[in-house]
Amino acid sequence: MNNSTNWPAWLPLRDLLKPMSPYGAPQVPTSAQLNTNENPFAPSKALVAAITKRVAEVSATLNRYPDRDAIALRAGLAKYISGQTGVAFDLSNLWAANGSNEIIQSIFLAFGRESALGFTPSYSMHPLIAKVTSVDWLDGKRRDDHSLDVAAAVQQVLAAKPTLTFITTPNNPTGSVVKISEITELAKAAAAVGGLLVVDEAYAEFSSETSAATLIAQYPSVIVIRTMSKAFAFAGARLGYLIADERVIDALQLVRLPYHLSAITQAVAEVALSFSDELLAGVDSLIAQREIVQTGLAKLGLSITPSAANFLLFSGFNQPANQLWQKLLDRGILIRDVGLLGQLRVTIGTAAENQAFLSALAQVLAEGDQ
Ligand SMILES: *Cc1c(COP(=O)(O)O)cnc(C)c1O
C-alpha cells in the first residue's frame, strides 16, 4: 500500500493528503475478532429470512433509482429514536447515510466553515474527516486520566470559537460517559460562539445516560449521531444516521450525493428496525460480559477505565502495547492498539471469545514476567 514516501510526481494529489495513510484497522481472520467494537451476535435465521425476502422484492425495481429522501427509513428511525428517548421526532429530524462516517463527512461538508474542536483521545475519524475536508482540527484537552473536565472544555469552546464541537459519549476508546447536564453546558457554549455541538452517540444503547437528542428542541444547534453498527449488530449493512433540528437536516441535503443510499440498504435497514427488539437483545448480555472481562483484567493486575460501551480500555502491563497486541494476535486474538501509550482496547465478544482473550492475555503476561 502507498504511503507518503512514494506517491508518483505525475499524480496531482492534494498536498494535505500526501502525508496521510488510509484508515486501516487490521481485518485479519482470527478466532476472536475483538478490535472494531462490532457486535459478536450474528443475525437470527428469522432476520436473515426477512432480509432475503425484502431484497428479492427490491431487486425487481433495481432499474430505478432509490428514494432519494429515504422517507420510509427515516420515518422508521424517527419512531425508533422517539421510543428510545421519549421525545417525539419525525422524519424531518432524521438523516441517514452509509454509516455514521458518511454522516460525519456530510456535517463537515455542510458546516466545516472554520475550525472543529474535539477532545483527545476520542474517535479518530473526527479529526481525519476534518483533515480531508480541509477544516482546521483543534485537539482539545482532557484530564490525564482521559476524563473530560467539562468546565475546561467549555472554556476551550469559548476561546477557540469552533464551528463544530465534537463530543463522543460513551467515548471511544475510553468508554466513559459525559453526563447530560454536562452536554447541556457544552451545548450552551457551542451556541454562544455560533457553532454546532455534534454528539457522537455510536454506543448510546449500551449506556443508561439520557441522550443528547432530548436537548435538540431547546438547543437546535445540537446534532446527535447514531449508528446501526454497534449495539444494533448491523455493521455490515452500513447504516448511520443523525437526529437534529429540521433546518440542520435541510442544510445537509445540500451536500448529500444524489441517491446516496441504495434501495437495498434502505430496505435492509427498514427490516432491521422491525427486528430492533431482537437485535438489541444482545446488549444486556454484552454488558454482563463486559463486567466479567473487567473482573478478569483486574485479576491480572491491570487497570481498566470504567466503560458504558461494548469495549474496555486497559493498561498496567509492563511491555510496549504494540508488542502485547502482536503476541495476542499470534494466539488468534485480535484487539486494538489505539495508539495510546501503554494502553490497549478490547471489544466485548461472546463469552467464549472473552474467555479466549483472558486466557491468552494471562499466558502472554506470565511469559513477559519470566
Ligand atoms: C464505530 C463508531 C462509529 C461508526 O461508524 P459507522 O460508520 O456507522 O460504522 C461512529 N462513531 C464512533 C465513535 C464509533 O466508535
Side-chain angles (χ1 to χ4, degrees), residues 87-126:
V87 177
F89 292 105
D90 66 28
L91 68 96
S92 66
N93 300 114
L94 267 290
W95 187 242
N98 297 283
S100 45
N101 285 305
E102 186 182 3
I103 293 281
I104 296 164
Q105 187 183 58
S106 295
I107 291 171
F108 274 106
L109 289 175
F111 306 114
R113 210 164 58 173
E114 278 143 34
S115 58
L117 170 68
F119 300 91
T120 312
S122 189
Y123 187 47
S124 61
M125 289 309 293
H126 299 151

Side-chain angles (χ1 to χ4, degrees), residues 42-329:
S44 67
K45 283 206 173 83
L47 176 53
V48 170
I51 288 173
T52 308
K53 183 162 170 280
R54 265 309 285 288
V55 168
E57 287 161 14
V58 171
S59 300
T61 66
L62 285 179
N63 57 314
R64 300 292 177 191
Y65 282 114
D67 175 4
R68 216 173 21 226
D69 296 320
I71 299 291
L73 174 59
R74 286 162 63 206
L77 289 166
K79 190 167 160 236
Y80 168 70
I81 284 295
S82 299
Q84 281 248 313
T85 61
V87 177
F89 292 105
D90 66 28
L91 68 96
S92 66
N93 300 114
L94 267 290
W95 187 242
N98 297 283
S100 45
N101 285 305
E102 186 182 3
I103 293 281
I104 296 164
Q105 187 183 58
S106 295
I107 291 171
F108 274 106
L109 289 175
F111 306 114
R113 210 164 58 173
E114 278 143 34
S115 58
L117 170 68
F119 300 91
T120 312
S122 189
Y123 187 47
S124 61
M125 289 309 293
H126 299 151
L128 205 66
I129 297 174
K131 201 157 186 190
V132 301
T133 54
S134 299
V135 175
D136 260 346
W137 178 263
L138 307 170
D139 259 337
K141 295 287 164 273
R142 292 172 177 267
R143 295 190 187 98
D144 288 345
D145 68 356
H146 304 323
S147 64
L148 190 68
D149 178 338
V150 175
V154 164
Q155 287 312 314
Q156 292 175 74
V157 173
L158 295 177
K161 299 184 174 47
T163 326
L164 296 169
T165 299
F166 281 83
I167 292 287
T168 305
T169 180
N171 189 35
N172 178 6
T174 59
S176 41
V177 169
V178 183
K179 292 200 224 78
I180 189 70
S181 57
E182 300 173 321
I183 297 283
T184 308
E185 293 309 306
L186 288 157
K188 286 181 193 162
V193 301
L196 298 172
L197 180 70
V198 183
V199 186
D200 190 333
E201 293 189 353
Y203 301 95
E205 287 94 341
F206 292 104
S207 159
S208 53
E209 186 59 56
T210 303
S211 169
T214 58
L215 301 178
I216 292 169
Q218 197 181 350
Y219 301 99
S221 52
V222 171
I223 300 181
V224 176
I225 303 175
R226 295 276 187 121
T227 179
M228 285 192 175
S229 295
K230 310 288 167 52
F232 226 83
F234 219 53
R238 306 305 300 129
L239 203 288
Y241 53 101
L242 69 76
I243 311 128
D245 182 271
E246 197 176 333
R247 286 153 297 181
V248 171
I249 310 293
D250 290 346
L252 288 169
Q253 318 272 325
L254 301 171
V255 300
R256 66 110 191 269
L257 294 171
Y259 315 109
H260 69 298
L261 206 54
S262 85
I264 302 276
T265 302
Q266 292 184 39
V268 163
E270 285 166 42
V271 175
L273 277 173
S274 72
F275 278 71
S276 57
D277 288 347
E278 178 182 309
L279 282 165
L280 291 172
V283 166
D284 286 345
S285 85
L286 288 172
I287 291 172
Q289 280 296 314
R290 184 184 73 212
E291 305 304 316
I292 291 169
V293 175
Q294 175 160 350
T295 305
L297 290 169
K299 275 192 190 140
L300 294 171
L302 300 166
S303 310
I304 307 102
T305 308
S307 169
N310 64 334
F311 54 83
L312 290 166
L313 186 70
F314 62 96
S315 61
F317 40 85
N318 52 12
Q319 50 188 302
N322 61 342
Q323 274 179 33
L324 182 54
W325 177 85
Q326 183 63 53
K327 288 180 195 164
L328 288 169
L329 184 56

Side-chain angles (χ1 to χ4, degrees), residues 26-38 40 332-335 347-349 353:
Q27 281 192 305
V28 286
T30 46
S31 52
Q33 220 145 317
L34 306 175
N35 72 328
T36 49
N37 298 343
E38 291 155 324
I333 311 289
L334 179 60
I335 67 167
T347 303
I348 305 305
E353 289 170 324

